[in-house]
């Protein structure tokens, strides 16, 4: 038997000790904004100012917004509060699982709640568990402050639940390891952000294409490709143990046919039909680093969604439901429109509803949700960056070694303002797959957000030159970083690749490029084209650029726009 009695409020000193433990934890170490927000709301509550914990006050006090702050157009407080709740859940699921006191931020409120959790002894032992009553404080945004601080779970049930969770975690880890060995997408993992439901394993008819390296490959080159292929989550790498290339054990296989003295033609075949679908070449006499560059270029051309393999499957009508959804997403990111966005989003959601559990689906949903917010699409309704972060974390739970999953979470964090955490995630993705030029470009995009333009130029120039066909945002990112570094040659080259795209910020890039080289005819044309845009960019270009890079760099671009003749306010005008 157990006993439960209520006591007076938890001592503020004990709450502050728990706050210090959270702020000093590994979970919160990479999120300065979340630390600042949690410290602010707890201290205000303990000081008896819970009635001040409203979105407007938090925006001014914590996030340096001005008195003109409008929560209907600036979601910084809601986004960061959602991020904080996720981190608190993560902390108490691991580092803080045994803490006596737990701090939370109930949904619908910015007022913290406190719970005292202690294991009970039998009544004969003379000890009872003490359950805290709420710390005094005002109500906020629909929270029921009278309910805060109550905790009455039976300790035996708590330990039983912990044991059950441990068993599930061990079983899931075994499944993930097995999935990584076989190349299959792992089954569902316990969610850190529990807003995404657990789903059963995917249908056998839904799979990724498999790729192998033929047995007759040159040994050194084979080693390089066998290092690259398993890192691409868009395909399943299969070690080919067949006695010869006439009996391939995968959907696609690669051969290296000698050409000349030491060069090799890299040939990609579709196994079932025997069709040669692509060729490339690795020159002879290269050192290991130069060889790896060619392997990176070829792998990035053949393997990703939107690459040669997926293009072949699409043209031959061989897409399955999963690969069809992946192609729809790649199509949207290559040529963006509201219609393509909705088609891609609907496809991913429909597969989840049919219990197809893939890290790539969650990664795509994270990225598509970010696009909903940043490009103001009306679909899905009420989408938020919180949702994107949840999807990104779920993708990593399913496949912790997926570079694509880390990239999608990084983007959601970056747009949410968590630049440090975003850089950590995208750097992980780049380490997990240094061969994927798409991941490298995302890494460069985050470097731009930190102001490291020189490194971003190096990464993007390599990616753009190696991939003749690539998403337009690579060129735009190269334009931005090259402009900051004074690389006029790259400014011109990257801006030319934006021809045919009518987005106002692309027109602005071409306008700046024309002004830099004194091309008066092109400058006037781009100025006229830019003024026809209806996306609001020229109403406040500083706001657009400030979302991408440090403000000093954003001001430099706005000044260039003004000097090029665009009717925008001087950056000095505020």
């Amino acid at each position: 038997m157990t006993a439960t009695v209520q006591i007076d409020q938890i001592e503020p000193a004990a709450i502050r000790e728990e706050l210090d433990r959270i702020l000093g934890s590994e979970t919160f170490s990479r999120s300065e904004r979340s630390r600042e927000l949690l410290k602010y709301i707890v201290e205000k509550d303990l000081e008896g100012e819970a009635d001040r914990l409203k979105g407007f006050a938090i925006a001014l006090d914590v996030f340096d917004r001005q008195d003109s702050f409008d929560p209907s157009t600036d979601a910084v407080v809601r986004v960061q509060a959602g991020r904080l709740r996720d981190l608190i859940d993560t902390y108490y699921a691991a580092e803080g699982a045994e803490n006596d006191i737990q701090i939370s931020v109930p949904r619908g409120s910015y007022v913290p709640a406190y719970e005292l959790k202690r294991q009970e002894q039998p009544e004969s032992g003379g000890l009872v568990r003490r359950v805290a009553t709420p710390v005094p404080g005002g109500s906020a945004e629909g929270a029921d402050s009278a309910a805060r601080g109550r905790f009455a779970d039976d300790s035996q049930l708590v330990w039983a639940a912990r044991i059950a969770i441990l068993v599930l975690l061990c079983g899931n880890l075994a499944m993930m390891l097995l999935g990584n060995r076989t190349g299959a997408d792992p089954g569902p993992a316990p969610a850190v952000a529990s807003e995404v439901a657990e789903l059963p394993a995917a249908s056998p008819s839904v799979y990724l294409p498999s790729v192998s390296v033929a047995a007759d490959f040159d040994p050194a080159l084979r080693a390089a490709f066998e290092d690259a292929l398993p890192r691409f989550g868009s395909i399943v790498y299969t070690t080919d143990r067949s006695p010869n290339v006439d009996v391939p054990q995968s959907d696609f296989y690669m051969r290296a046919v000698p050409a000349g003295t030491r060069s090799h033609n890299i040939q990609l075949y579709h196994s079932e039909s025997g069709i040669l679908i692509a060729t490339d070449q690795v020159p002879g006499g290269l050192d290991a680093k130069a060889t790896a560059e060619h392997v990176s270029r070829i792998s990035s051309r053949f393997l990703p969604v939107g690459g040669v393999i997926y293009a072949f499957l699409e043209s031959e009508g061989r897409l399955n439901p999963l690969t069809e959804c992946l192609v729809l997403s790649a199509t949207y990111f290559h040529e963006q429109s509201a219609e393509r966005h909705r088609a891609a989003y609907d496809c991913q959601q429909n597969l989840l509803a049919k219990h197809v559990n893939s890290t790539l689906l969650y990664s795509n949903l994270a990225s598509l949700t970010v696009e909903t917010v940043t490009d103001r699409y009306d679909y899905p309704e009420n989408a938020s960056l919180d949702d994107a972060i949840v999807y990104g974390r779920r993708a990593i739970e399913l496949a912790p070694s997926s570079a694509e999953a880390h990239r999608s979470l990084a983007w959601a964090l970056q747009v949410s303002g968590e630049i440090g955490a975003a850089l950590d995630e995208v750097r992980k993705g780049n380490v997990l797959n240094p061969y994927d030029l798409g991941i490298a470009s995302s890494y460069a995009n985050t470097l731009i957000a930190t102001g490291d333009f020189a490194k971003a130029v190096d990464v993007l120039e390599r990616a753009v030159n190696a991939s003749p066909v690539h998403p337009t945002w690579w060129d735009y990112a190269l334009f931005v970083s090259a402009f900051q570094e004074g690389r006029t040659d790259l400014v011109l080259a990257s801006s030319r690749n934006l021809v045919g795209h009518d987005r106002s910020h692309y027109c602005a890039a071409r306008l700046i490029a024309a002004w830099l080289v004194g091309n008066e005819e092109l400058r006037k044309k781009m100025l006229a084209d830019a003024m026809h845009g209806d996306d609001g960019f020229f109403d406040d270009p500083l706001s657009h650029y400030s979302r991408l890079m440090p403000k000093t760099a954003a001001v430099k671009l706005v000044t260039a726009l003004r000097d090029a003749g665009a009717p925008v306010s001087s950056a000095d005008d505020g």
Side-chain angles (χ1 to χ4, degrees):
M1 298 291 294
T2 60
T4 300
V5 296
Q6 289 190 342
I7 63 167
D8 294 335
Q9 67 182 42
I10 304 173
E11 290 295 328
I15 294 173
R16 287 193 170 95
E17 287 179 5
E18 177 63 11
L19 175 64
D20 289 342
R21 281 190 288 270
I22 296 174
L23 299 180
S25 68
E26 176 66 22
T27 303
F28 277 74
S29 64
R30 296 190 183 95
S31 183
E32 182 178 355
R33 278 191 159 188
S34 293
R35 293 196 302 272
E36 292 176 354
L37 177 57
L38 181 61
K39 183 176 181 180
Y40 174 84
I41 63 176
V42 171
E43 290 294 347
K44 285 296 180 186
D45 188 42
L46 295 181
E47 291 167 6
E49 296 185 34
D51 57 345
R52 180 171 172 75
L53 294 176
K54 307 291 186 180
F56 184 83
I58 293 172
L60 270 59
D61 293 350
V62 181
F63 300 115
D64 298 323
R65 294 304 194 263
Q66 304 301 314
D67 290 342
S68 58
F69 170 75
D70 182 358
S72 66
T73 59
D74 188 341
V76 62
V77 179
R78 294 195 302 276
V79 168
Q80 294 302 328
R83 168 78 170 137
L84 174 61
R85 293 183 184 105
D86 285 347
L87 286 175
I88 289 174
D89 289 345
T90 302
Y91 173 74
Y92 284 118
E95 292 179 81
E98 300 301 320
N99 294 10
D100 285 343
I101 296 173
Q102 290 195 357
I103 300 174
S104 62
V105 184
R107 293 192 178 278
S109 170
Y110 300 127
V111 178
Y114 317 106
E115 294 175 344
L116 183 64
K117 300 170 58 177
R118 291 181 181 171
Q119 186 176 357
E120 293 183 327
Q121 303 293 331
E123 291 183 12
S124 59
L127 295 176
V128 295
R129 181 176 50 188
R130 307 171 75 191
V131 180
T133 55
V135 175
S139 61
E141 299 180 355
D144 183 2
S145 60
R148 292 190 292 122
R150 294 186 174 88
F151 187 88
D153 286 322
D154 188 284
S155 63
Q156 294 177 359
L157 293 177
V158 170
W159 281 105
R162 287 173 178 167
I163 292 171
I165 291 171
L166 181 60
V167 171
L168 288 172
L169 286 171
C170 291
N172 185 70
L173 179 59
M175 290 294 292
M176 288 172 60
L177 291 174
L178 179 61
N180 286 338
R181 289 180 59 192
T182 60
D185 189 44
V192 173
S194 59
E195 296 175 25
V196 179
E198 298 291 337
L199 295 172
S203 163
S205 64
V206 179
Y207 57 90
L208 297 176
S210 59
V211 182
S212 62
V213 176
D216 64 347
F217 236 79
D218 172 80
L221 203 51
R222 180 186 182 110
F225 275 102
E226 286 189 331
D227 183 44
L229 266 67
R231 299 173 184 264
F232 283 82
S234 48
I235 55 100
V236 174
Y237 168 65
T238 301
T239 302
D240 196 340
R241 301 303 180 192
S242 58
N244 57 64
V245 295
D246 296 326
V247 192
Q249 297 178 343
S250 57
D251 298 322
F252 298 85
Y253 67 94
M254 297 172 62
R255 294 191 64 188
V257 179
T261 307
R262 287 179 291 179
S263 297
H264 288 86
N265 285 326
I266 308 301
Q267 301 176 342
L268 178 64
Y269 287 87
H270 179 237
S271 301
E272 181 183 337
S273 65
I275 296 175
L276 174 64
I277 65 173
T279 63
D280 213 308
Q281 189 171 58
V282 176
L286 301 177
D287 59 21
K289 181 179 180 181
T291 298
E293 283 292 301
H294 281 279
V295 171
S296 177
R297 175 180 57 79
I298 294 169
S299 299
S300 295
R301 179 184 165 214
F302 285 1
L303 305 178
V305 181
V308 171
I309 287 176
Y310 278 80
F312 172 81
L313 293 173
E314 185 177 16
S315 66
E316 294 289 309
R318 294 174 179 266
L319 294 174
N320 63 53
L322 174 58
T323 52
E324 181 178 5
C325 279
L326 302 182
V327 167
L328 284 173
S329 289
T331 300
Y332 165 74
F333 283 109
H334 183 70
E335 190 67 41
Q336 297 178 9
S337 70
E339 295 75 16
R340 290 189 180 94
H341 178 273
R342 179 156 192 162
Y345 197 98
D346 277 344
C347 194
Q348 324 290 317
Q349 284 283 25
N350 289 340
L351 277 192
L352 290 186
K354 294 176 181 177
H355 310 305
V356 176
N357 209 23
S358 166
T359 188
L360 293 177
L361 293 182
Y362 286 107
S363 296
N364 281 336
L365 283 170
S367 299
L368 290 167
T369 302
V370 172
E371 287 286 297
T372 297
V373 175
T374 58
D375 285 20
R376 300 180 181 180
Y377 292 130
D378 59 3
Y379 185 84
E381 294 182 3
N382 303 318
S384 70
L385 294 176
D386 271 354
D387 300 330
I389 291 172
V390 168
Y391 284 131
R393 292 194 181 282
R394 179 60 171 153
I396 292 175
E397 289 166 7
L398 288 175
S401 61
S402 168
E404 189 63 42
H406 286 282
R407 172 168 70 168
S408 68
L409 176 58
W411 191 17
L413 291 171
Q414 180 177 332
V415 176
S416 298
E418 295 281 356
I419 306 300
L423 187 60
D424 285 345
E425 289 296 334
V426 76
R427 187 183 286 119
K428 287 178 189 175
N430 195 49
V431 169
L432 287 167
N433 189 359
Y435 296 95
D436 190 331
L437 297 175
I439 300 293
S441 297
S442 294
Y443 178 38
N445 206 36
T446 308
L447 289 171
I448 289 172
T450 69
D452 192 346
F453 298 108
K455 191 170 184 178
V457 166
D458 289 342
V459 174
L460 286 164
E461 186 177 14
R462 167 189 171 234
V464 167
N465 289 339
S467 301
V469 178
H470 53 261
T472 310
W473 68 264
W474 293 18
D475 298 302
Y476 185 64
L478 181 56
F479 161 81
V480 166
S481 52
F483 174 82
Q484 299 294 338
E485 286 296 296
R487 290 287 305 275
T488 305
D489 58 328
L490 290 178
V491 168
L492 295 177
S494 57
S495 65
R496 280 196 294 268
N497 289 335
L498 301 176
V499 173
H501 301 280
D502 58 1
R503 293 191 166 197
S504 295
H505 54 287
Y506 291 168
C507 291
R510 298 188 64 210
L511 172 62
I512 290 172
W515 167 71
L516 282 175
V517 297
N519 187 335
E520 187 64 13
E521 182 179 355
L522 179 59
R523 187 192 71 83
K524 290 180 178 179
K525 180 181 184 306
M526 295 316 304
L527 187 59
D529 290 348
M531 293 302 99
H532 291 149
D534 59 358
D535 54 15
F537 168 81
F538 281 98
D539 294 337
D540 187 10
L542 182 61
S543 177
H544 168 86
Y545 292 133
S546 296
R547 291 197 299 268
L548 306 179
M549 66 198 80
K551 189 170 182 179
T552 53
V555 168
K556 184 177 177 181
L557 272 167
V558 173
T559 301
L561 260 184
R562 187 168 181 264
D563 291 343
V568 296
S569 299
S570 168
D572 295 332
D573 296 338

